[in-house]
Amino acid sequence: MSTNFNEFDILFHNFFYPTSGYGSAATTKQPHPLNIFYDDAGLHFEVACTGLTKDEVNVDIEDDILKISYSKAEEEKELHPGTIHRGLSKKSFNLGYKISAKYDLSLALAKLENGLLEISIPVAERAKPKTIKIK
């Protein structure tokens, strides 16, 4: 697998943060903790969803856009009177990435386990290398 990130970098643009431009996905600060990587099988996202259930997180596909979101409920929990430090919080997030036609979004799979949302998008059949027979 090549370590050249040029093709990978231009695949992503966060549509919910228009000022982010089309910067490098490898070097641009993302608005929510996540990993994005690719291999021969396809494109993979790992999104931090600590304390969330699969019913609270939305993964939507619209045309060539992958959208991942969570909206925090408005209710405020009252802190325990003995609270010394509060470092865990559920923050809303709204992520959107334009996915290259090289990947088949119709075959995307998602699972949420142990606070990590994993989304896999396979390489499209039409983008896989082919050998043609010479006549």
Side-chain angles (χ1 to χ4, degrees):
M1 174 113 311
S2 170
T3 56
N4 181 349
F5 290 105
N6 290 336
E7 176 189 5
F8 176 73
D9 291 342
I10 63 172
L11 297 177
F12 302 102
H13 170 67
N14 191 328
F15 284 87
F16 296 103
Y17 294 88
T19 58
S20 69
Y22 278 94
S24 164
T27 58
T28 302
K29 180 169 175 23
Q30 298 296 320
H32 184 78
L34 77 148
N35 294 326
I36 306 170
F37 62 96
Y38 69 98
D39 57 21
D40 292 335
L43 188 59
H44 308 278
F45 289 78
E46 296 175 332
V47 183
C49 293
T50 307
L52 302 178
T53 66
K54 64 182 181 179
D55 295 329
E56 295 175 305
V57 179
N58 296 311
V59 178
D60 299 306
I61 296 170
E62 293 180 20
D63 297 320
D64 59 351
I65 308 295
L66 173 66
K67 295 179 180 181
I68 309 162
S69 62
Y70 162 70
S71 294
K72 180 180 177 179
E74 293 298 321
E75 63 188 52
E76 275 295 318
K77 283 188 177 179
E78 205 170 299
L79 293 178
H80 185 278
T83 300
I84 296 170
H85 174 75
R86 184 176 182 191
L88 298 176
S89 66
K90 294 181 181 179
K91 296 180 182 177
S92 295
F93 58 88
N94 209 351
L95 309 170
Y97 296 95
K98 181 177 175 74
I99 306 298
S100 167
K102 176 180 178 178
Y103 301 100
D104 190 345
L105 274 168
S106 69
L107 298 176
L109 298 174
K111 74 175 182 174
L112 179 61
E113 190 173 292
N114 297 325
L116 187 65
L117 173 64
E118 297 178 38
I119 302 170
S120 296
I121 307 167
V123 174
E125 282 298 320
R126 65 185 174 279
K128 290 182 181 176
K130 297 174 184 77
T131 301
I132 58 171
K133 191 170 186 172
I134 302 172
K135 294 183 182 182

